[in-house]
């Protein structure tokens, strides 16, 4: 039953996926280790597979058959010659059974021993241990007897409000706040039901509910030589349904004396199990006192904020501890420098109850890792967010010399992030980090739920600025693709339309349509809409940036065109616009495209040619009615109509093939 001795190893298997797997692999490589990724059938093309030296398929998408399958993970390590396994966070990272299985297979588990995980894994067991070690606890009931009468009388002794918690809990499941004795029985039943379903264990404990609670936690790390350090605290009070959303370090709530007290309590807690590896001691605080709630015997999602204020690479330290090394610093050498804040970017829709969003990521735009910003990502453009796993895509982390500076940088970093193809919580995160109550730190764990409406605002109506930006973006992209196409007239030096020309743009935001007329050619261009005329000029900046000049008012915007969807980010916020193409196919270059497809869902109102007809480029093929507007689709080149694939009255979906044209050989 002896643990596998910690020793230097060369090959590390990372038993996780997404952002945390990529994060662990980065530090492992920096230490010169060969890295092995594991993946499920849903993750064949995932980023963590691409960044590892080797990768091995575990099994089907379902976590139980892949990332949570102990036997398969161990077999993968054996098959690839891995000597150690890093479990990341989530999945098997707090499984004592997995730590045992690693030991039995002669593998080093990068983390504490199974015995330490067991001692700390149960909320009740760990509380009994902490009580003996003299760590402050919330008044509560943590005993074995589970009958309703005992639990009710415990609640009455503690005094309402109380919190019922699943002993085996995690992720906020099986937790109920009970404010009066009358609600107790029902809350107990439902907490037990949820705990049984989630953890196959319906035991609960009862605690005094701390009002206006704040979440404060301390990072600790121990080596196998008896050294144990605390690496300051983090505050994770911004939560939704007991799940962290924004985390920061150090806590803006504690003064230096309170900081030292909570760190000392954490060291005492970890020392009670002679802890080895990285871990977190979690406390709930009423703003003055802190009370132990649980220990997480693993790396946490929010560990980067600690790394940014201490300059320590926690994964590197975890690996060094697993090598059997002594921790490189002593407690008094660990320094706190500045402030760091992290925001978790999820594929979810805050406007629809935070429903997860799945699909292919078309655009992946994240801020540059400079000027105090760090991005830990698990996805890239083209990747698919599958419904099988946690929807966290990335973390944006900002460091600054002060809390204000860090929050400001984070706000800018979030503003610079665009993920298209899936819905994300980025606008919600932006609203959070700029909220006056967050800036002033007058929050508690219930803040997000109370302020939800203000944090998920509908996008404001567009102004001329966004409309001008959208038109500029369409023109920019046309010019860019013309540049890439050697045969395009736009490329020809000196090409200029004769005289003044005009072009109509119809842009839709939700149900509102905006019609703009662009006049260009000789002299300055103008845009006319709603009876106003503005002088219109623009230049393309790097990437998606555009510098706009609207009658002399200059500003910078970001605008991305994807098919008929235009995304604009201006100083007024984020906007999704739809380009309604009033003249059907007006693009010049449809080279190689011999299919006529519906640009939008609509109704076929007229067929203007017939099968077998020889037609010239630009000839009308059919008319579609789209959103009460008729659009004529035209031949992209000279050719013969091979087939008409629709008839008058058909309702067609976007992308449906309507006609097939065979180009005439040039
Ligand atoms: P889980 O393991 O399910 O995440 P925790 O015990 O860590 O559950 O608690 C989750 C969150 O609930 C904490 O971050 C804290 O904000 C809140 N919480 C826990 N205990 C109390 C308490 N006694 N009073 C008020 N809030 C609490």
């Amino acid at each position: 039953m002896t643990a596998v001795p910690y020793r230097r190893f060369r090959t590390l298997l990372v038993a996780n996926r997404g952002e945390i797997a990529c994060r662990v692999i980065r530090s492992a490589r920096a230490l010169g280790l060969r890295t092995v990724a594991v993946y499920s059938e849903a993750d064949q093309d995932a980023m963590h597979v691409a960044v590892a030296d080797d990768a091995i398929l575990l099994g089907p998408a379902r976590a139980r058959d892949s990332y949570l399958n102990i036997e398969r993970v161990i077999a993968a390590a054996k098959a690839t010659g891995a000597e150690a396994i890093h479990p990341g966070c989530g999945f098997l990272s707090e499984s004592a059974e997995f730590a045992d299985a690693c030991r039995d297979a002669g593998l080093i588990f990068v983390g504490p021993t199974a015995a330490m995980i067991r001692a700390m894994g149960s909320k009740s067991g760990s509380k009994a241990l902490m009580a003996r070690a003299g760590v402050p606890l919330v008044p509560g009931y943590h005993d074995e007897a589970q009958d309703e009468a005992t639990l009710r009388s415990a609640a009455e002794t503690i005094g309402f409000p109380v919190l019922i918690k699943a002993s085996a809990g995690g992720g906020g499941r099986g937790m109920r706040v009970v404010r009066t004795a009358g609600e107790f029985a029902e809350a107990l039943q439902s907490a037990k039901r949820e705990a049984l379903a989630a953890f196959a264990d319906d035991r609960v404990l009862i605690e005094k509910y701390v009002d206006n609670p704040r979440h404060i936690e301390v990072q600790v790390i121990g080596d196998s030589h008896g050294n144990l350090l605390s690496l300051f605290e983090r505050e994770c009070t911004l939560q939704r349904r007991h799940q962290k959303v924004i985390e920061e370090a150090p806590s803006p709530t504690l003064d230096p004396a309170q900081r030292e007290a909570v760190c000392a309590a954490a060291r005492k807690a970890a020392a009670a199990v002679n802890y080895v590896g990285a871990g977190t001691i979690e406390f709930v605080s009423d703003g003055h006192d802190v009370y132990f709630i649980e220990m997480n015997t693993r790396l946490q999602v929010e560990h980067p904020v600690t790394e940014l204020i201490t300059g320590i690479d926690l994964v590197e330290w975890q690996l060094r501890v697993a090598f059997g090394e002594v921790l490189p610093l002593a407690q008094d050498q660990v320094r706190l420098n500045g402030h760091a804040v992290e925001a978790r970017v999820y594929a979810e829709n805050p406007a629809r109850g935070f429903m997860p969003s799945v699909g292919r990521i078309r655009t992946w735009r994240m801020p540059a890792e400079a000027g105090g910003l760090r991005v830990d990502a698990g996805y890239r453009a083209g990747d698919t967010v599958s419904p099988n796993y946690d929807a966290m895509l990335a973390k944006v982390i900002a460091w600054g010399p002060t809390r204000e500076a860090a929050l400001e940088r984070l706000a800018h970093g979030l503003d610079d992030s665009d993920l298209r193809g899936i819905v994300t919580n980025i606008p919600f995160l932006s609203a959070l980090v700029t909220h006056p109550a967050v800036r002033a730190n007058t929050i508690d764990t219930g803040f997000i739920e109370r302020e939800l409406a203000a944090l998920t605002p509908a996008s404001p109506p567009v102004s001329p600025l966004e409309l001008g930006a959208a038109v500029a973006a369409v023109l920019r992209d046309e010019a860019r693709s013309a540049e890439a196409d050697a045969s395009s007239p736009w490329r020809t030096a000196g090409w200029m339309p004769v005289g003044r020309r005009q072009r109509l743009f119809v842009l839709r935001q939700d149900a509102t349509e905006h019609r703009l007329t662009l006049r260009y050619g000789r002299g300055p261009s103008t845009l006319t809409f709603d009876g106003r005329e503005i002088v219109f000029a623009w230049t393309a900046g790097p990437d998606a940036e555009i510098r706009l000049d609207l009658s002399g008012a200059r500003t910078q915007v970001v605008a991305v065109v994807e098919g008929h969807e235009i995304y604009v980010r201006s100083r007024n916020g984020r906007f999704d616009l739809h380009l309604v193409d009033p003249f059907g196919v007006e693009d010049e270059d449809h080279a190689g495209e011999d299919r006529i497809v519906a640009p939008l869902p609509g109704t076929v109102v007229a067929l203007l040619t017939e099968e077998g007809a020889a037609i010239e480029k630009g000839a009308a093929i059919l008319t579609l009615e789209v959103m009460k507007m008729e659009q004529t689709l035209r031949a992209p080149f000279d050719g013969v109509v091979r087939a008409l694939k629709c008839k008058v009255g058909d309702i067609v979906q976007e992308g449906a093939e309507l006609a097939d044209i065979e180009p005439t050989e040039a």
Side-chain angles (χ1 to χ4, degrees), residues 1 154 280 306 356 371 378 393 411 469 508 554 567 614 631 656:
M1 286 296 281
T280 297
T306 298
L393 304 174
R508 191 157 50 82
R554 293 181 191 180
Y567 163 74
Q631 289 199 27

Side-chain angles (χ1 to χ4, degrees), residues 123 127 138 163 165 169-173 175 199 207-211 213-215 236-237 239 242-244 282-284 293-294 296 445:
K123 286 190 202 292
K127 283 194 169 114
V138 182
L163 189 60
K165 281 189 192 180
R173 281 171 301 179
M175 261 176 55
F199 315 110
E207 277 175 8
K208 176 79 191 161
Y209 180 70
V210 175
D211 264 316
R214 288 172 171 275
H215 177 107
C236 318
T237 295
Q239 306 183 346
H242 306 294
Q243 294 270 51
K244 297 159 187 167
E282 298 195 324
F283 299 90
V284 63
I293 47 179
E294 68 170 342
N296 287 322
T445 57

Side-chain angles (χ1 to χ4, degrees), residues 119-180:
M120 286 300 188
S122 144
K123 286 190 202 292
S124 340
S126 66
K127 283 194 169 114
L129 196 66
M130 290 307 117
R132 283 201 297 279
V135 176
L137 292 182
V138 182
Y141 172 86
H142 315 122
D143 287 342
E144 285 302 315
Q146 290 286 316
D147 58 288
E148 191 187 318
T150 307
L151 293 171
R152 173 194 294 276
S153 86
E156 273 156 8
T157 313
I158 294 165
F160 291 95
V162 299
L163 189 60
I164 303 177
K165 281 189 192 180
S167 300
R173 281 171 301 179
M175 261 176 55
R176 295 287 182 281
V177 180
V178 190
R179 301 221 164 251
T180 62

Side-chain angles (χ1 to χ4, degrees), residues 475 500 518-527 534-538:
L475 298 173
R500 258 341 243 160
L518 170 71
R519 294 200 171 76
Y520 63 103
R522 249 180 236 135
S525 301
T526 60
L527 264 183
I534 48 181
V535 182
F536 172 71
W538 58 274

